[in-house]
Amino acid sequence: MSAPAAGPRPAAPAARRRTLRTVTVLASCLALVAAAVVLGVRALGQEPTVTLLANWTGRDARYFREAVIEPFERRYRVHVDYQGSSAESQVLSAEVEAGTPPDVVVLTGPGELAAYAGQKRLRPLEQLIPRGDFSRSWATPLYGHVYWFPLKADLKSIVWYPAGTGEQQRRKAARQPDQWCLGMGSGATSGWPGTDWIEDILLQQQGPETYERWARGRLSWRSGEVKRAWTTWRKTVGAGGRRDLVLRALTTEYQKASELVTADPPRCTLEHQASFVRNQKPWRKADGRYEPSAPFIPGAKARNTWEVSGDLVALLHDTPQAGKLIRHLASAGAQRAWSEKESGFSVDARVGPPAAGSAADWHRSLAGTLIDHDAVHCFDASDAMPPPVRDAFAQAAIDYLADASPRHLDELLRNLDALSSPGDLTWLPSVCDSGS
């Protein structure tokens, strides 16, 4: 056999074990040192962090991080500790109660933010955001300050239908409750698709002045105007009627309601839903088109009047890094980047609708409506109401869908009136823009 190649002799097993132990101990020490350095740097403020709570999860959270958070982190060398939750209201309430609220929060409800402002939990923003870039319905002054502004907006007074569905076919479908796609489920916030319907019906039938009085707690739930909106919704979607339709609506998540549009054969034709639903797979597949909701609502008389909603940014801890994040989120660049990445829109006066050819026609049209100075925009009434009233309204919509008898409706509205009357509730000073 050949002689072994020249070179050092292999280490004995015991020597190899001692070497491995030495390497392992050294690696562990280095890891501890590295961790200590990271903690030390953060403790010394050399890697500042800002905490942010919002409702975006999954794909939306990824888009938000890519379009908005990562550019901020690169520019300012500030780490954003992002927490996304579909139950953000409950999470925020628990964290505030525990004394560990986030620095910045994004909520859909100005009514909820108004309650926190009344508790002196929020910090004024007028020194951090440009003046005049957001109208009063989006950045509503309260107690002499501005406490929130919109990062993302949506239009709600619209009805979606598949491409190729003619006007006569749409009007016929609107008179058939089984042709309306409706899903009331939304986890802890179930029922809001029903409140959207009732709010929009009241707005289109009675106009913005009546709508605003009601949304600000100055019009009884048992008034003829409000009661008419509830009964119109009952007739339109078949509340309290066919058990199969009611059960379908009560057991369907709002995100899945439009799946019936692309069923074979289709099981519904129309959906009264906000602009964000166009990004759902069924409406993309059906090449969804929209028109204003007013032609579908019996007795509608309002003109160029729209219900809107938004994701609103507020500040709880006024730290230097939180201030930088607020300025970034209010900047035209961040507003534009998020609206281009996500299904929502910016209502920042500096951003404007997408240029021709850069977005689909429906997207540009919706964006233009949201910033149309001749239009009246009224914020989602339930989102603007104090949280106890908002939550009871959503539950009442579910209960009325199951039992739409006149006696039951009177009971539900009487209960809502009672919940709306305590003097310690915070109501917004306005929810509608006047238009020009």
Side-chain angles (χ1 to χ4, degrees):
M1 64 181 303
S2 303
R9 292 173 59 87
R16 286 199 300 270
R17 286 196 294 271
R18 286 195 297 273
T19 302
L20 288 172
R21 282 199 297 270
T22 301
V23 172
T24 301
V25 170
L26 181 59
S28 299
C29 290
L30 290 173
L32 289 172
V33 170
V37 169
V38 169
L39 291 174
V41 168
R42 289 182 178 174
L44 290 171
Q46 295 176 8
E47 187 181 293
T49 296
V50 57
T51 55
L52 171 63
L53 171 65
N55 66 349
W56 297 303
T57 60
R59 182 191 65 181
D60 288 342
R62 185 177 74 253
Y63 285 172
F64 181 53
R65 177 164 289 282
E66 292 173 353
V68 179
I69 293 179
E70 290 178 0
F72 169 79
E73 291 177 324
R74 288 193 298 268
R75 178 177 180 182
Y76 293 100
R77 297 295 187 265
V78 173
H79 172 67
V80 177
D81 184 3
Y82 175 74
Q83 180 182 10
S85 173
S86 57
E88 60 173 341
S89 293
Q90 293 75 14
V91 171
L92 180 61
S93 177
E95 291 183 349
V96 167
E97 186 70 23
T100 58
D103 298 322
V104 178
V105 67
V106 184
L107 286 176
T108 58
E112 188 171 356
L113 290 172
Y116 282 118
Q119 300 166 14
K120 301 188 184 305
R121 301 280 188 181
L122 304 184
R123 301 292 173 260
L125 299 179
E126 54 264 25
Q127 301 303 317
L128 297 174
I129 63 175
R131 292 181 178 271
D133 290 336
F134 305 104
S135 63
R136 287 177 61 89
S137 63
W138 295 106
T140 306
L142 189 67
Y143 308 124
H145 295 287
V146 172
Y147 288 102
W148 59 81
F149 67 91
L151 177 59
K152 166 183 174 289
D154 281 292
L155 202 64
K156 285 199 165 186
S157 296
I158 51 180
V159 171
W160 294 97
Y161 61 90
T165 308
E167 182 177 357
Q168 185 175 358
Q169 185 180 355
R170 299 197 298 273
R171 299 296 177 264
K172 180 179 178 181
R175 297 191 295 270
Q176 303 174 50
D178 64 346
Q179 289 302 302
W180 285 101
C181 313
L182 177 62
M184 297 285 280
S186 185
T189 59
S190 292
W192 66 258
T195 67
D196 275 7
W197 255 116
I198 295 163
E199 293 158 4
D200 193 26
I201 290 171
L202 179 68
L203 178 61
Q204 303 304 328
Q205 287 182 337
Q206 307 299 334
E209 291 184 6
T210 299
Y211 178 93
E212 184 160 55
R213 286 172 54 214
W214 170 65
R216 296 176 59 200
R218 298 186 176 186
L219 178 65
S220 169
W221 289 83
R222 287 174 287 175
S223 67
E225 298 94 329
V226 176
K227 195 170 184 178
R228 182 187 177 194
W230 284 78
T231 56
T232 299
W233 183 55
R234 171 181 62 81
K235 295 174 183 177
T236 301
V237 302
R242 283 176 44 185
R243 184 173 178 81
D244 60 327
L245 290 184
V246 172
L247 189 61
R248 183 177 84 182
L250 292 175
T251 58
T252 300
E253 294 292 311
Y254 83 92
Q255 309 98 314
K256 298 185 177 181
S258 54
E259 291 179 356
L260 300 177
V261 171
T262 54
D264 188 15
R267 296 175 58 195
C268 64
T269 306
L270 308 172
E271 185 172 15
H272 179 275
Q273 189 53 276
S275 49
F276 58 73
V277 80
R278 180 56 173 76
N279 215 34
Q280 297 287 336
K281 186 177 179 180
W283 283 119
R284 294 201 308 269
K285 182 178 179 181
D287 191 14
R289 309 298 173 89
Y290 81 93
E291 68 173 301
S293 60
F296 298 90
I297 295 175
K301 62 182 182 182
R303 294 291 180 269
N304 202 15
T305 300
W306 308 85
E307 184 181 10
V308 297
S309 66
D311 293 277
L312 308 173
V313 181
L315 177 67
L316 286 90
H317 288 151
D318 191 6
T319 65
Q321 54 268 28
K324 290 179 181 178
L325 181 60
I326 290 292
R327 288 191 178 95
H328 174 72
L329 296 177
S331 70
Q335 293 271 325
R336 185 179 295 108
W338 182 219
S339 64
E340 288 175 353
K341 195 77 172 178
E342 225 265 339
S343 58
F345 307 86
S346 172
V347 288
D348 187 326
R350 298 165 297 173
V351 174
S358 64
D361 290 343
W362 63 267
H363 189 97
R364 294 181 62 250
S365 175
L366 289 170
T369 299
L370 279 164
I371 58 174
D372 180 3
H373 294 295
D374 293 326
V376 177
H377 303 101
C378 295
F379 210 94
D380 182 301
S382 56
D383 284 346
M385 292 173 179
V389 182
R390 172 202 63 194
D391 296 343
F393 183 15
Q395 184 59 50
I398 293 173
D399 294 343
Y400 186 62
L401 186 61
D403 177 5
S405 65
R407 185 174 182 177
H408 190 218
L409 178 59
D410 288 340
E411 179 184 340
L412 293 172
L413 298 182
R414 188 180 304 109
N415 181 54
L416 287 167
D417 265 337
L419 285 170
S420 302
S421 60
D424 60 347
L425 295 177
T426 302
W427 296 86
L428 296 181
S430 64
V431 298
C432 295
D433 284 336
S434 61
S436 60

